[in-house]
């Protein structure tokens, strides 16, 4: 397979700076890495946070963002035994971890103190050729639609893991904030596939239609509802057993401490910068509620999340646009107007 010396990428020099679509060198894989010819990459709100520099953790600069890359292995380092040239592979947020610490040993590798993060501390999938640690890279079955599977590589894994840890049982209500966004559109489907009864919370008719089409049993519009908490409690006959927060909004979390069902669990996934959870202690205690964080997923969660996709029980419904148009997606996301997930085609 002939590998060019240079390639197209979207790169920025400083946080919030110009998103340049230009030619950059193709990276060479380290002994434990594969080089993936990225065909498609999903655009996650995390990429927008990274570009803007929203979080206390600094990004690498200059940076190529992107961490939902799906493509074909075109080269591999000397130590790689689990991928062959021509295999399909996926780039995840957790590009690599040490695999030797307490957290890696327990399968909580996203909590490794020495993580390498795609599109954050390591150049990601908004380029045509990207490197990934072979042990951490996702295995994608041959014949998979690479454009449509891309969003599973972050959004799918993340929401699947959050639902796995939300303590709800089959038949119970799960409310999802940000349900009409990228993570949300997958969360509604995973929730359904896992036997839960999803209630979608987001805004506008387009997102309402998407959520109901994907299987949500109800939709509550956080912008127009006269009393959001009351509406959710009525819909779920006493409050949802779990709430999955994908909204990039501190207020949504505070509100959920009031409407969550007694003994229920609130799972924090969305990452608004500088935000805090506020829960009134008296009702928190007497309702015996739980609040926990959930951060992407491990390698087993990755394989399981991809299996739901392979079986056709979740679909990504991604809209494909040229890589050169990435800034337009950031604009839409910023305005809360991105319905579902956008995927970039790296060949354009
Ligand atoms: P997105 O922009 O596609 O979707 C966010 C949605 O939230 C939008 O549809 C928006 O309308 C909605 N929203 C905004 N305010 C709301 C409110 N008050 N109530 C209900 N809905 C509201 O973003 P995304 O790509 O789905 O990512 C969502 C968040 O998840 C980001 O902060 C991202 O960084 C984070 N994330 C976390 C993890 C993790 O492992 N914890 C992984 C991936 C992404
Ligand atoms: Zn992501």
């Amino acid at each position: 397979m002939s590998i060019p010396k240079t390639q197209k990428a979207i790169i920025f020099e400083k946080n919030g700076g110009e998103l340049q679509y230009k030619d950059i060198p193709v990276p060479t894989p380290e002994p434990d890495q594969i080089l993936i010819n990225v065909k498609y990459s999903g655009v996650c709100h995390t990429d927008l946070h990274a570009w803007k520099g929203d979080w206390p953790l600094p990004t690498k600069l200059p940076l190529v963002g992107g961490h939902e890359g799906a493509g074909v292995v075109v080269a591999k380092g000397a130590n790689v035994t689990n991928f062959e040239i021509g295999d399909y592979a996926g780039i995840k947020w957790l590009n690599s971890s040490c695999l030797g610490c307490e957290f890696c040993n327990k399968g909580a590798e996203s909590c490794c103190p020495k993580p390498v993060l795609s599109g954050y501390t390591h150049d990601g999938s908004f380029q045509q050729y990207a490197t990934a640690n072979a042990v951490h890279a996702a295995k994608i079955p041959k014949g998979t639609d690479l454009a449509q599977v891309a969003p599973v590589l972050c959004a799918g894994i993340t929401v699947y893991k959050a639902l796995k840890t939300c303590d709800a049982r089959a038949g119970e209500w799960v409310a999802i904030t940000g349900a009409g966004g990228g993570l949300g559109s997958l969360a509604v489907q995973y929730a359904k596939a896992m036997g839960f009864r999803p209630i979608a919370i987001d805004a506008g008719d387009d997102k309402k239609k998407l959520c109901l089409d994907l299987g949500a049993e109800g939709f509550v519009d956080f912008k127009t509802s006269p009393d959001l908490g009351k509406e959710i409690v009525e819909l779920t006959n006493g409050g949802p057993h779990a709430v999955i927060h994908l909204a990039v909004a501190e207020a949504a979390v505070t509100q959920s401490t009031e409407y969550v069902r007694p003994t229920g669990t609130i799972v924090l996934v969305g990452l608004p910068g500088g935000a805090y959870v506020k829960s009134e202690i008296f009702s928190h205690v007497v309702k015996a509620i739980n609040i926990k964080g959930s951060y992407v997923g491990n390698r087993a969660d990755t394989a399981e999340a991809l299996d739901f996709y392979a079986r056709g029980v979740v679909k990504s419904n991604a809209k494909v646009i040229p890589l050169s148009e990435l800034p337009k997606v950031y604009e839409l996301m910023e305005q809360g107007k991105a319905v579902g997930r956008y995927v970039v085609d790296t060949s354009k």
Side-chain angles (χ1 to χ4, degrees):
M1 220 166 276
S2 82
I3 300 162
K5 293 263 179 295
T6 61
Q7 57 161 341
K8 289 282 186 227
I10 293 262
I11 187 164
F12 58 88
E13 311 266 335
K14 56 177 193 190
N15 296 108
E18 189 194 345
L19 294 160
Q20 305 171 49
Y21 179 60
K22 67 173 196 184
D23 291 301
I24 64 164
V26 169
T28 307
E30 300 286 331
D32 58 353
Q33 288 178 332
I34 50 177
L35 179 68
I36 301 172
N37 175 203
V38 179
K39 301 290 188 193
Y40 298 94
S41 177
V43 184
C44 181
H45 205 114
T46 292
D47 300 312
L48 175 59
H49 291 302
W51 170 57
K52 285 165 60 188
D54 279 346
W55 297 335
L57 181 71
T59 64
K60 160 191 181 294
L61 288 172
L63 179 70
V64 176
H67 57 274
E68 284 184 351
V72 183
V73 177
V74 291
K76 59 179 204 168
N79 298 342
V80 175
T81 55
N82 63 333
F83 277 99
E84 297 303 332
I85 307 297
D87 283 353
Y88 282 7
I91 292 176
K92 306 185 282 109
W93 173 247
L94 193 65
N95 193 288
S96 88
S97 71
C98 81
L99 296 180
C101 72
E102 172 191 345
F103 305 105
C104 285
N105 285 343
K106 287 179 179 165
E109 55 222 38
S110 57
C111 294
C112 175
K114 291 179 189 157
V116 176
L117 306 174
S118 305
Y120 206 89
T121 62
H122 182 92
D123 282 341
S125 50
F126 296 151
Q127 57 182 340
Q128 293 173 303
Y129 292 87
T131 51
N133 177 284
V135 172
H136 280 277
K139 293 248 172 195
I140 301 174
K142 275 264 170 69
T144 304
D145 179 333
L146 291 174
Q148 294 300 321
V149 78
V152 176
L153 297 166
C154 172
I157 296 167
T158 300
V159 301
Y160 170 63
K161 176 67 161 204
L163 287 159
K164 252 175 115 174
T165 55
C166 80
D167 302 322
R169 299 197 180 171
E172 294 187 337
W173 295 103
V174 175
I176 299 164
T177 71
L183 266 62
S185 58
L186 280 159
V188 170
Q189 299 176 73
Y190 277 99
K192 194 91 185 161
M194 292 163 84
F196 306 138
R197 305 184 68 183
I199 292 292
I201 308 165
D202 211 311
D205 289 341
D206 292 345
K207 291 184 183 175
K208 177 177 181 178
K209 182 174 183 324
L210 177 70
C211 293
L212 296 177
D213 285 351
L214 294 176
E217 291 194 38
F219 181 90
V220 181
D221 193 314
F222 76 90
K223 285 195 178 152
T224 60
S225 173
D227 189 338
L228 180 131
K230 186 162 169 267
E231 209 178 320
I232 294 170
V233 170
E234 279 172 9
L235 267 171
T236 54
N237 192 25
H241 301 80
V243 186
I244 310 288
H245 282 296
L246 310 174
V248 193
E250 181 175 314
V253 179
T254 308
Q255 219 163 20
S256 68
T257 61
E258 292 161 23
Y259 66 69
V260 70
R261 203 178 194 91
T263 74
T265 298
I266 293 168
V267 186
L268 309 178
V269 178
L271 290 159
Y276 288 84
V277 177
K278 208 166 163 204
S279 181
E280 194 262 320
I281 294 177
F282 183 79
S283 57
H284 193 127
V285 172
V286 300
K287 280 175 69 183
I289 63 170
N290 309 290
I291 302 180
K292 48 167 118 166
S294 185
Y295 184 29
V296 288
N298 63 22
R299 288 166 292 154
D301 300 318
T302 300
E304 290 165 22
L306 281 163
D307 189 58
F308 276 77
Y309 178 83
R311 288 187 287 119
V313 290
V314 303
K315 297 191 168 56
S316 73
N317 303 297
K319 296 191 230 2
V320 183
I321 60 151
L323 173 63
S324 57
E325 291 180 17
L326 176 68
K328 286 188 193 164
V329 183
Y330 286 173
E331 237 169 78
L332 287 172
M333 254 184 190
E334 189 94 271
Q335 299 163 355
K337 287 185 187 155
V339 180
R341 196 52 130 202
Y342 281 84
V343 163
V344 292
D345 175 345
T346 66
S347 72
K348 296 176 200 162

